Amino acid sequence: MVLTSCCTPLARRQIDTHPDPSHAFSQHQLREMAPVKVFGPAMSTNVARVLVFLEEVGAEYEVVDMDFKVMEHKSPEHLARNPFGQIPAFQDGDLLLFESRAISKYVLRKYKTGEVDLLREGNLKEAAMVDVWTEVDAHTYNPALSPIVYQCLFNPMMRGIPTDEKVVAESLEKLKKVLEVYEARLSQHEYLAGDFVSFADLNHFPYTFYFMATPHAALFDSYPHVKAWWERIMARPAIKKISATMVPPKA
Amino acid sequence: MNYINAHFVANTDSHNSLIKMAPMKLYGWAVSPWMARVLVCLEEAGAEYELVPMSRSGGDHRQPEHLARNPFGEIPVLEDGDLTLYQSRAIARHILRKYKPELLRSDNLQESAMVDVWVDVDAHQLEPIIRPVVFNVIIKPFTGSDCDQDLVDGSIEKLKKTLEVYEARLSSSKYLAGDFVSLADLTHFSFMRYFMATQYAEVVEAYPHVKAWWEALLARPSVKKVMAGMPPDFGFGSGNIP
């Protein structure tokens, strides 16, 4: 197990002398706590997902890399954190979590402030729209886009498996239909859940980042509002910082 | 055939305005496991709702009227006042957040995280395994396609490994997120209902804690009521094809 970094939060906040009862903890309390730990390589999509949200809230965290060559992810030690032997896993004191979106929501709730509220759980309508588009990413957008990433990048570069162009072609057709809906939505609103950035938008980042390193990146040019939305996401300081640790293999 | 569930919401200050509102509407076909996931939550919440039946074989979900509600052309869709929602888990969360937040454990950081973990385990680990089995074993024979037995066999092997994790969890915890029932348990019901109607139910029943947990789910009034609208053959046998 390699302890790669103790990451300092991008946004330093003032010590909170007037704690807001709607916050889980005061800033002072958060500072007193040990950094949370994320297990898995930073360039893995689902690890990066969690790191983005840790950066967005300015949490103190450590990334603990893992050695897949020695099957560390199937070791008893890791299975105690993630019984499916996958990454990421997460530790906050005695609490062990897995599933990257569940981890991310825990982080967002724990470190929620007046300025950073990506879940909007205090507002029924907004929270519902965040959930809708988070699910759309997981069950509609990503299933269309990620096969292209696997076929064009991960398989050839990391697994020595050649690109299956038929799978790519079928996925591109599905993705185009999905992007038509996104284009219409983002023509009405700056972000997916409404006119506020949220958990829903940022969940699209990890796989889309790698999609932009495939030969099909230019597809987004046909959907100008989607492209502009993607560029707004990429301009965020947290996203820039995590992007730098996700250097994609050259296609 | 519409029916209105005449349960009323709790008469607290924050919910007074809800009582005066029109009942929520849920669009879709009740045999759909995605639809049933939402129906269980509506029943658990005791919320007032109207089921608006749609015809899958008639292609209702692809008509402009429905695309205006859900541009992805899928069901279920929930209308709650001026809010239109889709994606079954998003709808489920909204209903529970509004009417029964204890099933999400929203007031507890650690417990709500455990609920989220196991909702996602169903979505990312279990459902992707049992859905193709249900499709191949139950639906394909009715639609004239051949069952992909290799796929089914492979899925059953994956299922056993996954169930080992569930068995370990349920050996130390009464329900999936802890010693309290939550969305994490309820969200499993609808796909499992169909899987357990196949000859592979015995695979699940070989795990005693999983079996007991499943039987506890089946005993819930909300689950019994929703299951009554879910014939094990999706309605194909009786001619009530969705």
Side-chain angles (χ1 to χ4, degrees):
Chain A
M1 187 150 57
V2 176
L3 195 72
T4 54
S5 59
C6 182
C7 303
T8 56
L10 200 60
R12 282 278 174 201
R13 295 195 165 82
Q14 302 295 325
I15 301 254
D16 188 349
T17 55
H18 298 286
D20 183 323
S22 73
H23 299 172
F25 300 101
S26 71
Q27 293 303 313
H28 181 70
Q29 284 174 309
L30 289 171
R31 281 194 188 292
E32 295 299 303
M33 296 173 176
V36 298
K37 290 185 184 176
V38 181
F39 296 85
M43 64 175 294
S44 159
T45 46
N46 292 314
V47 176
R49 184 191 311 278
V50 175
L51 301 185
V52 161
F53 293 114
L54 284 164
E55 285 293 337
E56 287 280 342
V57 298
E60 300 264 3
Y61 66 95
E62 297 172 8
V63 179
V64 181
D65 206 345
M66 296 184 59
D67 190 348
F68 292 101
K69 287 192 293 300
V70 302
M71 302 294 282
E72 193 179 349
H73 53 307
K74 304 296 180 190
S75 67
E77 200 178 354
H78 188 68
L79 290 172
R81 297 177 204 118
N82 181 336
F84 294 99
Q86 294 175 339
I87 50 101
F90 174 87
Q91 181 174 12
D92 184 5
D94 292 335
L95 181 66
L96 293 170
L97 298 176
F98 57 99
E99 291 292 335
S100 59
R101 291 167 187 81
I103 296 168
S104 299
K105 285 201 273 194
Y106 170 80
V107 165
L108 290 177
R109 288 176 190 135
K110 179 181 173 182
Y111 296 95
K112 174 181 162 292
T113 64
E115 304 94 58
V116 185
D117 180 6
L118 293 170
L119 292 175
R120 302 283 167 134
E121 288 178 325
N123 181 306
L124 268 181
K125 286 188 184 178
E126 290 181 351
M129 294 313 297
V130 173
D131 282 345
V132 165
W133 287 94
T134 298
E135 293 293 306
V136 169
D137 167 62
H139 301 296
T140 304
Y141 177 93
N142 210 49
L145 177 139
S146 65
I148 301 166
V149 174
Y150 276 90
Q151 290 299 329
C152 296
L153 272 190
F154 297 164
N155 282 0
M157 305 314 296
M158 291 164 61
R159 302 170 172 182
I161 300 172
T163 303
D164 184 337
E165 294 294 349
K166 185 159 174 278
V167 170
V168 173
E170 284 168 2
S171 296
L172 282 168
E173 287 314 299
K174 287 186 196 169
L175 183 57
K176 284 175 190 170
K177 291 193 162 55
V178 173
L179 290 178
E180 279 168 24
V181 177
Y182 274 60
E183 181 66 15
R185 176 68 182 172
L186 292 165
S187 304
Q188 302 295 316
H189 297 282
E190 201 184 346
Y191 293 100
L192 289 170
D195 293 320
F196 54 90
V197 73
S198 79
F199 185 62
D201 306 286
L202 301 184
N203 267 303
H204 289 72
F205 162 72
Y207 281 95
T208 308
F209 176 78
Y210 283 123
F211 177 84
M212 294 308 176
T214 72
H216 303 284
L219 179 67
F220 274 54
D221 294 345
S222 305
Y223 305 93
H225 290 87
V226 179
K227 185 169 178 182
W229 162 81
W230 175 246
E231 287 169 352
R232 281 195 289 282
I233 290 173
M234 285 301 289
R236 298 180 71 78
I239 294 284
K240 284 189 197 174
K241 185 172 177 188
I242 298 306
S243 296
T245 61
M246 289 169 71
V247 179
K250 299 273 183 294
Chain B
M1 208 170 23
N2 294 347
Y3 59 86
I4 296 185
N5 181 320
H7 294 193
F8 289 95
V9 301
N11 193 9
T12 62
D13 284 349
S14 64
H15 286 119
N16 274 340
S17 58
L18 296 171
I19 296 170
K20 298 186 182 73
M21 284 166 55
M24 294 184 287
K25 287 186 183 180
L26 187 68
Y27 294 81
W29 37 91
V31 299
S32 153
W34 293 275
M35 185 82 167
R37 171 175 288 128
V38 174
L39 287 169
V40 166
C41 291
L42 283 166
E43 290 294 331
E44 285 282 334
E48 192 176 347
Y49 69 98
E50 181 188 331
L51 188 73
V52 182
M54 290 173 55
S55 166
R56 183 178 185 278
S57 46
D60 286 355
H61 51 308
R62 290 188 284 267
Q63 299 307 312
E65 189 187 340
H66 190 71
L67 292 173
R69 293 177 207 119
N70 180 348
F72 295 104
E74 293 174 332
I75 61 96
V77 170
L78 183 85
E79 283 178 349
D80 180 10
D82 59 2
L83 196 57
T84 301
L85 304 177
Y86 42 90
Q87 291 288 335
S88 63
R89 291 172 188 84
I91 298 171
R93 285 179 181 281
H94 171 69
I95 291 161
L96 296 181
R97 202 175 277 133
K98 190 174 181 184
Y99 295 106
K100 202 125 187 183
E102 57 264 41
L103 290 175
L104 294 173
R105 283 308 209 261
S106 328
D107 59 340
N108 184 303
L109 259 185
Q110 297 206 4
E111 290 180 351
S112 57
M114 294 311 297
V115 174
D116 288 344
V117 165
W118 287 93
V119 170
D120 274 3
V121 169
D122 172 60
H124 301 142
Q125 307 287 348
L126 190 68
E127 190 188 302
I129 296 173
I130 65 179
R131 190 175 357 108
V133 174
V134 168
F135 184 66
N136 274 275
V137 171
I138 301 180
I139 295 188
K140 273 189 173 178
F142 285 113
T143 60
S145 301
D146 291 332
C147 171
D148 184 343
Q149 195 58 45
D150 285 343
L151 176 63
V152 170
D153 293 342
S155 298
I156 295 302
E157 287 315 300
K158 285 188 206 171
L159 178 62
K160 290 175 185 171
K161 292 193 162 50
T162 301
L163 288 173
E164 283 168 21
V165 177
Y166 276 74
E167 180 67 14
R169 175 62 183 165
L170 292 165
S171 302
S172 60
S173 173
K174 188 173 177 195
Y175 291 99
L176 288 170
D179 290 326
F180 52 88
V181 74
S182 74
L183 176 63
D185 310 286
L186 300 174
T187 197
H188 281 77
F189 160 70
S190 57
F191 276 92
M192 279 196 65
R193 182 270 177 280
Y194 290 114
F195 182 86
M196 296 303 280
T198 73
Q199 66 266 43
Y200 299 103
E202 59 184 29
V203 174
V204 173
E205 287 164 354
Y207 297 88
H209 291 88
V210 178
K211 183 180 176 188
W213 165 82
W214 174 243
E215 287 170 354
L217 273 179
L218 288 180
R220 299 183 75 82
S222 63
V223 170
K224 285 185 190 175
K225 183 168 177 187
V226 174
M227 197 153 146
M230 300 169 78
D233 63 359
F234 289 90
F236 281 98
S238 54
N240 288 324
I241 299 161

